[in-house]
Amino acid sequence: MLQDKIYYKILFSIFSLSMLATCSNFEPKVSSSYMTPVANTNLSDYFHMKIPSGWKSLNRNEYVGMASYRLVRQAENSSSFTGIQVIRIAPEHFRGATSDADGDNRKVDMSKYCIESMSDARKVGVVSVKKLPPRIIDKLQTCGYSGYEVHESRKYFVYYWFVWRHDGMWEIFINSDPDADEIPRELVKTLDTIRWERR
């Protein structure tokens, strides 16, 4: 009788241990649509872009405006409209964002944002506004459109690209040379070199 009790205790212990091992190996699957929690919104991640030959990056003290990053031709300065400007809008200032109850996992309807941006552009005088085919920038799906702007009586063809990340909306504007109908090829190629590095 005593041997039976010991046998059942040992059997129960083995069963319990096997159940614990099974449970510890189970991990819930995370949905692929789950968004990365918002980081410290006072800081943005480090932005990197390969500078093509014949172009240069301006230092932040060389120009005024909201742009975090500016690229112009080697012979130009901050008065040039030709080149690339990159602007970041912090998540807490971004209109139209939704989030979980705790404020994390902010989401944006990029299609809606692009349509609204195109409408706003037309209102401020951008003409021939057309939606661009979506593209990937640093493994992220983006949206964008093209149009023509006028600065100081000169016409510029422009690409507008929008990238939503955990640290906000990054807006990338690429301006053609004056009175040109296309963006310099090397500037379009730089979109493939854009990378963000987490702080």
Side-chain angles (χ1 to χ4, degrees):
M1 195 72 160
L2 181 60
Q3 286 180 339
D4 288 342
K5 284 184 178 178
I6 293 171
Y7 173 76
Y8 284 119
K9 280 186 179 179
I10 292 171
L11 192 61
F12 180 77
S13 297
I14 292 170
F15 176 75
S16 299
L17 287 171
S18 67
M19 288 300 293
L20 284 171
T22 303
C23 291
S24 65
N25 288 332
F26 175 75
E27 292 181 9
K29 289 186 178 179
V30 178
S31 168
S32 60
S33 63
Y34 192 84
M35 302 291 284
T36 305
V38 175
N40 181 347
T41 54
N42 294 321
L43 295 172
S44 66
D45 286 345
Y46 296 110
F47 174 88
H48 301 282
M49 174 190 284
K50 185 176 179 182
I51 301 173
S53 177
W55 298 81
K56 66 179 179 179
S57 173
L58 296 178
N59 293 323
R60 189 62 188 86
N61 62 357
E62 292 183 90
Y63 61 92
V64 296
M66 291 177 57
S68 305
Y69 188 89
R70 278 206 65 188
L71 199 69
V72 297
R73 289 194 184 279
Q74 282 286 0
E76 298 293 334
N77 56 35
S78 62
S79 65
S80 174
F81 293 103
T82 302
I84 296 178
Q85 291 191 52
V86 180
I87 296 171
R88 180 187 77 100
I89 302 173
E92 67 270 23
H93 298 304
F94 191 76
R95 60 180 184 171
T98 60
S99 66
D100 295 344
D102 60 3
D104 279 350
N105 310 315
R106 294 175 187 248
K107 303 171 184 70
V108 168
D109 183 335
M110 290 300 289
S111 180
K112 180 181 177 184
Y113 181 74
C114 212
I115 290 168
E116 289 175 351
S117 297
M118 291 169 69
S119 177
D120 292 343
R122 290 184 183 103
K123 289 175 185 175
V124 296
V126 181
V127 298
S128 300
V129 176
K130 294 179 182 176
K131 192 168 184 179
L132 291 167
R135 67 174 295 147
I136 301 296
I137 296 178
D138 194 17
K139 301 178 183 177
L140 297 169
Q141 187 75 32
T142 71
C143 70
Y145 60 92
S146 64
Y148 288 91
E149 293 181 353
V150 175
H151 298 288
E152 298 177 355
S153 302
R154 305 294 294 274
K155 183 178 72 172
Y156 295 83
F157 184 54
V158 184
Y159 278 172
Y160 305 81
W161 288 104
F162 306 103
V163 186
W164 177 248
R165 303 183 71 255
H166 76 102
D167 56 348
M169 180 69 77
W170 290 75
E171 302 188 341
I172 303 165
F173 307 138
I174 311 179
N175 285 27
S176 73
D177 289 305
D179 303 318
D181 292 320
E182 61 181 23
I183 303 290
R185 187 180 299 264
E186 64 271 25
L187 292 187
V188 177
K189 286 183 177 179
T190 61
L191 293 173
D192 294 326
T193 72
I194 290 175
R195 298 290 181 270
W196 283 272
E197 180 185 342
R198 294 293 289 262
R199 285 184 184 268

